[in-house]
Amino acid sequence: MQINEPCQNERQHKDSEQSEPQKSDNMMPTDISGVASVAQHLILRGEVQGIGLRPRVKRWADELGLRGWICNQGDQVALQVAGPAPAVQQLQDQLRALACAVDIIELDHDLAPGALSAQSGFAILPGEPLHVDRLYQVPADRGICETCLLEFHDPADRRYHYPFISCNDCGPRFSILTALPFARANTAYARLPPCRKCQEDFADPANRRFHSELISCEVCGPRLSGVGLADIGVSADATPDDLIRRALACLNGGGIVGLKSLSGMQLLARADNESAVRRLRERKQRPCKPLALLVPSLAWAQRLAQVSEAAAQWLTSPQRPIVLLPKTKAADTQLAPSVAPDVPDLGLMLPVTALQSWLVESVDAPLVCTSANVSDEPILFANADLETAVGTLCDFALLHDLEIEFPQDDSVLMENQGRTTLLRRARGFCHTAFPVPPGETTLAVGGDLKNTFALARGGVAVLGPHLGDLESVKTLQRRDWLLDQFSALQDFTPRRICVDAHPGYISRQQAQRLSQQTEPLGLQVVQHHRAHLLANHVACPLPSRYLALMWDGNGYGDDCTLWGSEAFLVDAGKITRVAALAPFPLPGGVQALLQPWRLALSLSFAAGISRADVLQRLVSNTVTESQLAAVWQLLEKNLNCPISCAMGRLFDAMSYLLLGTERNEYEGHAPVQLQYCAQRGLEDSTALQRDGQGGHAAPFAIQLRTEGDLLVGDWQPAWRDFFYGASFSVSAQNAPASVKQQALAFHRGVADWALALAHRFNVDHLSLSGGCFQNRLLQSLLLERAEPMAVHLMWPATVPLNDGGLALGQVAFPDPA
Amino acid sequence: MKDARILLTHGSGGESTRDLIRQLFLPGYGNSQLNLLTDGAVLTNVTAQQVFTSDSYVVNPPFFPGGDIGALAVIGTCNDLAVMGAVPRWLSLSFILEESLPIERLEKIVQSIQRTAAEAGITIVTGDTKVVERGKADRLFINTAGIGELHIPQALTPARIQAGDAILVSNDIGRHGIAVLASREGINLEVDLLSDMALLHPLIQALLNQGIDLHCARDLTRGGLGGALLELADQCGQDFRLQETRVPVSETVQAACELLGFDPLFIANEGCCALFLPEAQVADALAILREFSAGRWSAQIGTVLGNGTVKSAAVKNGGVFLENAYGVERLLAWHTVDQLPRIC
Ligand SMILES: [Zn+2]
Ligand SMILES: [Zn+2]
């Protein structure tokens, strides 16, 4: 097995906690050859479930001639081993080489010298559940491994074209779990007893499926089925080959195939067929947000995008996430224009299951691959739901009879100069356990957007999978149901509920109601940006003094305004808000967040630019002078103008000023346009520098000003300069050089501000969170500037910087009791 | 009394008070009962069940497009009775006046009260006047109490709402709140927008008289349609589903709400109510309503789903679910006056 998780600071953190096995002081007996013999009881913890640890240890023990046994205890694996001291040490070393999976190897106690002497060889004992006071470690779903894929394509193999092929290294785990520990009886496979042949493989130490819990074959495994419209009906006895042919015909004819994948339903369409992609968008009600692609192979990914080595590792990792990668020029010619319009990146993923691989390799072209749902609703996972969606969401559905217990979307992440940023945390990630300060058993309900929940017990926290926006009733119901699933699996009853401070959050209202139920629970309000800060604190190795920059689009602040450009100084556990941008109004409240032109107007108003200049300068193809005049009235009369200092809104305003992005079609749309434009500016200026020419625009200089205890970032002079100096374009792709340089200068100014704060507070660690730091260009500019200053930029690789990570920070909020 | 202003002595209970009553109120809306100037009114011919309500009116500005605080006080009180299923009969009306209020303005308000009361068929039988120092009240407040008569065996109450009931709205929503706001803030909406102020009992009595089995009605004043439905769902413990696209909103109100960033569902109305009745009678009810100008844009906007159809801790007693054009349902939640944006 190969564990190629590109480890970042988080992993180092865990490593530092890894307790060294204690050396025994006992007198060691010596065997006839004169080598000391030992017997030990060891406990293995970390991601020890569902990775084939027991058969692996058995194989090693046999090779080393050790006696003893190994047993899965749900949360941990226990093993007793006896034999020559060097061999026992060798076994431990081999275990430690698996560091990414086995975090902790603990010597529970030394056994009496003669122990296990009656035992012949090394045995795998049946699993036994163990009750511990912390949350249990759950096994992660793992994308199909290379060996299984080879067997799947080998006509001579017993599992040739068997869609549910898996082994000790791969296959579903968490998504089909009904109880702990991970064992066949505790999964959706419980009702599928292995056939005689599979039983033999299971019992054979030489077989690579020795003790593989989900061992199956076409005789005994789950069944594939298909559902089409009446005219493409599928007979009940259709073979997998028949069904794949149907699905292929559907895809090649421009149709949409619904597929039951590892942890939920997906929709697939040919990515080179514009009308198919448009139909998919129409059906999903997702007009412009970029769509991810399933590609047949790494080679295909490299054709469409620039795949760094780290990105390639993620693409092929067991987590098998969608990885955002810079598009190549060739991508535009190979893909339908509607796949990812006007964005610099493509989201790519490699097949997670044999079935996906089979389909996409047969098509031999990238497929659009997206969660089966209507936009803003949760991912479908029950057969009945996709069956009813045939004709509305998809044209043909490829299903199977394995029940999904923990539905999860595909995870999405970004690689940038060896740094990982997780944008959507779901399949492959949400089993991770985080160490938190011990305290009350706690439930955190997250925020209303990109909602996730988190649980903590006994110093261990888990963060649930991405759910979506809670305003959708179906998402709310899914959240409640999934929380019940988690609670049942973990035998979890909270004593405390942590919640965001926003009074309008549905999650907050829900938490308040929960806290008043039969047994009253403590309700802990955690301010939005402090929750972001704490999430990083839990997931990154940070020193005792550092500065935390929490920059996003909107979070309820202590002063009842909307924060989002916060700098907190953390010193020996004390968190102090030390800096933020100068605040500005949001004219028309929620409308201002949807319409960046209102922000451009508002910043101009706040910066003291005259009405006449504003009306003249900010008019565009879509925003009329009378609209501008009307919103100007709101500002003058201070009518429905909540106050904000959110950095994300500054990006919105600039996106309109430079590019005329008048509407945020999806979250972060305007800032992404600006980033795209600025990246092209960077390419230009590299070229200009090469030719010995200048061409830089002066950066957007945010000025430091002290107001009471707070440092205020005054953006007004810079805004005025840009307002009067900037040229204007209506397209990020074809913007004139001057606009691209200004977009770049804006990003540079924002990066300068971050490092100016680090300098001012004399810290060598900056903890970064909030959606703004998902900006690839901003990350690069920050990394470039931080290095010569010896400032370390810290953000977790496996916790989203957006509100998807909020619940983890909430759950880690110290228990005052 | 031209250019004359209200003085503190007008509220003293002495000669000036009596002058104000005799010269202003009685010529305005006097009647045989009120003219007696007794301490209380004697109500005669009381046979049916009576419905009793009380309300206070504080409007800034007191004169707004399509009405004034006086007409509003009468209409508001009558509508409170109307949605109980009652016919308004008697009204108590008291003023709290700010010192220095121009008497001419008060006179206009009194005339407007008289006209509206006559239209409503309600008799003002008692009242009171107090004057407060400058700065203690914003021009004038009106406090009312109203009594109406029930001609049906049982008042309309949330408890009568049943699963499967249709939810109707009697007219397009949001005009009053936006008209008042625009006039107060001096916002140019480019189109004239008047308050929707209208009496509701003619509509509701017409429905009842023509055999509509009305279960519940609620006027959509403060908090608007959204607020009223959230309150009703909570009171009757049933879930409601609304179809966003079926809620009648005029283009002007829609545009103004978009400009201001408000949700028309939470804007106040003064001539509009929500109605709950059997699905089978929807067409009949709409035909009756549409004969009135205050019912011209009446429409079915949703249905009562029943009890506990959505299991979520976020939904208490009963929830209101708003379905958009694409069939995605969202949970309707209380928006505070300063609706703070949640999205990122
Ligand atoms: Zn495998
Ligand atoms: Zn088998």
Side-chain angles (χ1 to χ4, degrees), chain B residues 219-237:
Chain B
D219 57 341
L220 310 177
T221 52
R222 215 169 26 173
L225 175 63
L229 292 178
L230 284 170
E231 213 170 84
L232 284 170
D234 185 48
Q235 286 168 357
C236 72

Side-chain angles (χ1 to χ4, degrees), chain B residues 174-189:
Chain B
R175 277 184 281 138
H176 176 77
I178 295 294
V180 170
L181 181 85
S183 129
R184 178 174 66 231
E185 303 291 345
I187 294 177
N188 179 8
L189 294 178

Side-chain angles (χ1 to χ4, degrees), chain B residues 4 10 18 32 38 46 48 63 95 99 109 146 148 152 160 189 221 240 264 279 299 302-303 329-330:
Chain B
H10 280 124
R18 284 217 292 285
S32 57
T38 46
V46 181
F63 294 88
F95 285 103
E99 183 191 5
I109 289 167
I152 45 173
R160 294 175 61 188
L189 294 178
T221 52
F240 303 160
E279 187 87 41
T303 43
E329 272 188 311
R330 65 183 171 94

Side-chain angles (χ1 to χ4, degrees), chain A residues 1 6 22 50 70 159 275 277 303 342 367 373 381 395 410 427 480 499 533 634 687 702 724 743 749 757:
Chain A
M1 190 197 65
Q22 302 145 22
I70 187 163
R159 292 185 179 82
S275 74
V277 179
R303 222 173 290 170
D342 294 334
L367 293 174
N373 55 7
F381 66 96
D395 305 303
D410 294 318
R427 181 184 46 74
D480 286 9
V499 65
L533 183 155
L634 302 189
I702 299 173
Y724 286 111
L757 288 171

Side-chain angles (χ1 to χ4, degrees), chain A residues 306-647:
Chain A
Q306 299 161 31
V307 184
S308 68
E309 205 168 305
Q313 275 203 320
W314 273 120
L315 280 170
T316 52
S317 70
Q319 289 92 336
R320 221 58 61 91
I322 294 168
V323 182
L324 294 187
L325 301 160
K327 253 191 234 186
T328 58
K329 292 231 154 50
D332 286 330
T333 62
Q334 308 225 13
L335 301 174
S338 305
V339 168
D342 294 334
V343 287
D345 286 356
L346 268 184
L348 300 181
M349 76 188 276
L350 292 182
V352 182
T353 62
L355 193 55
Q356 268 187 348
S357 165
W358 195 359
L359 258 180
V360 73
E361 280 190 23
S362 311
V363 175
D364 195 28
L367 293 174
V368 167
C369 176
T370 177
S371 301
N373 55 7
V374 174
S375 273
D376 303 330
E377 291 198 340
I379 184 169
L380 301 179
F381 66 96
N383 283 10
D385 292 338
L386 196 63
E387 277 164 17
T388 26
V390 173
T392 55
L393 273 179
C394 59
D395 305 303
F396 179 77
L398 208 48
L399 300 169
H400 57 73
D401 56 357
L402 267 185
E403 203 92 35
I404 294 173
E405 300 291 334
F406 287 90
Q408 301 154 73
D409 293 271
D410 294 318
S411 295
V412 182
L413 60 77
M414 185 173 98
E415 256 305 308
N416 191 12
Q417 303 180 24
R419 300 292 297 259
T420 300
T421 310
L422 191 59
L423 306 173
R424 185 167 73 193
R425 188 174 176 281
R427 181 184 46 74
F429 290 91
C430 46
H431 61 284
T432 328
F434 296 94
V436 290
E440 279 284 26
T441 301
T442 301
L443 163 68
V445 295
D448 270 18
L449 294 141
K450 298 189 161 56
N451 180 263
T452 54
F453 54 75
L455 320 177
R457 184 175 63 202
V460 174
V462 298
L463 179 60
H466 165 85
L467 283 157
D469 181 356
L470 288 191
E471 211 171 50
S472 150
V473 174
K474 286 198 176 134
T475 309
L476 260 182
Q477 289 176 287
R478 171 66 58 85
R479 200 265 310 262
D480 286 9
W481 174 82
L482 198 65
L483 182 55
D484 286 348
Q485 291 279 98
F486 265 75
S487 301
L489 188 72
Q490 294 279 4
D491 190 17
F492 178 84
T493 314
R495 303 286 313 138
R496 180 176 81 135
I497 300 188
C498 291
V499 65
D500 193 84
H502 199 305
Y505 268 10
I506 292 168
S507 53
R508 173 156 189 184
Q509 293 163 15
Q510 180 219 26
Q512 261 158 349
R513 215 153 293 141
L514 275 175
S515 72
Q516 291 154 5
Q517 278 175 0
T518 41
E519 247 183 285
L521 306 176
L523 192 70
Q524 177 67 56
V525 174
V526 186
Q527 195 275 326
H528 196 91
H529 302 95
R530 290 190 185 90
H532 276 308
L533 183 155
L534 288 168
N536 277 17
H537 201 88
V538 164
C540 300
L542 284 158
S544 84
R545 187 175 182 279
Y546 63 91
L547 195 67
L549 303 183
M550 305 289 123
W551 293 356
D552 60 8
N554 177 3
Y556 195 77
D558 295 347
D559 57 3
C560 307
T561 70
L562 299 168
W563 289 2
S565 56
E566 313 317 301
F568 295 95
L569 185 66
V570 181
D571 197 350
K574 193 167 167 282
I575 302 172
T576 317
R577 181 180 183 236
V578 290
L581 288 178
F584 46 84
L586 302 174
V590 70
Q591 290 292 350
L593 310 194
L594 298 171
Q595 301 173 343
W597 62 269
R598 288 181 188 244
L599 266 311
L601 190 78
S602 168
L603 296 196
S604 306
F605 176 87
I609 296 168
S610 77
R611 180 175 182 274
D613 285 357
V614 169
L615 297 198
Q616 197 218 341
R617 171 70 176 75
L618 295 184
V619 150
S620 71
N621 291 342
T622 41
V623 179
T624 64
E625 195 179 309
S626 73
Q627 277 176 296
L628 292 167
V631 173
W632 188 268
Q633 289 180 67
L634 302 189
L635 290 163
E636 278 182 334
K637 296 171 199 302
N638 188 23
L639 190 61
N640 197 18
C641 286
I643 297 299
S644 172
C645 64
M647 183 62 84

Side-chain angles (χ1 to χ4, degrees), chain B residues 248-280:
Chain B
V249 183
S250 72
E251 271 177 39
T252 316
V253 168
Q254 189 67 53
C257 281
E258 255 168 51
L259 165 67
L260 294 160
F262 290 139
D263 186 342
L265 285 178
F266 291 90
I267 302 290
N269 309 274
E270 287 296 345
C272 196
C273 60
L275 300 160
F276 293 76
L277 46 94
E279 187 87 41

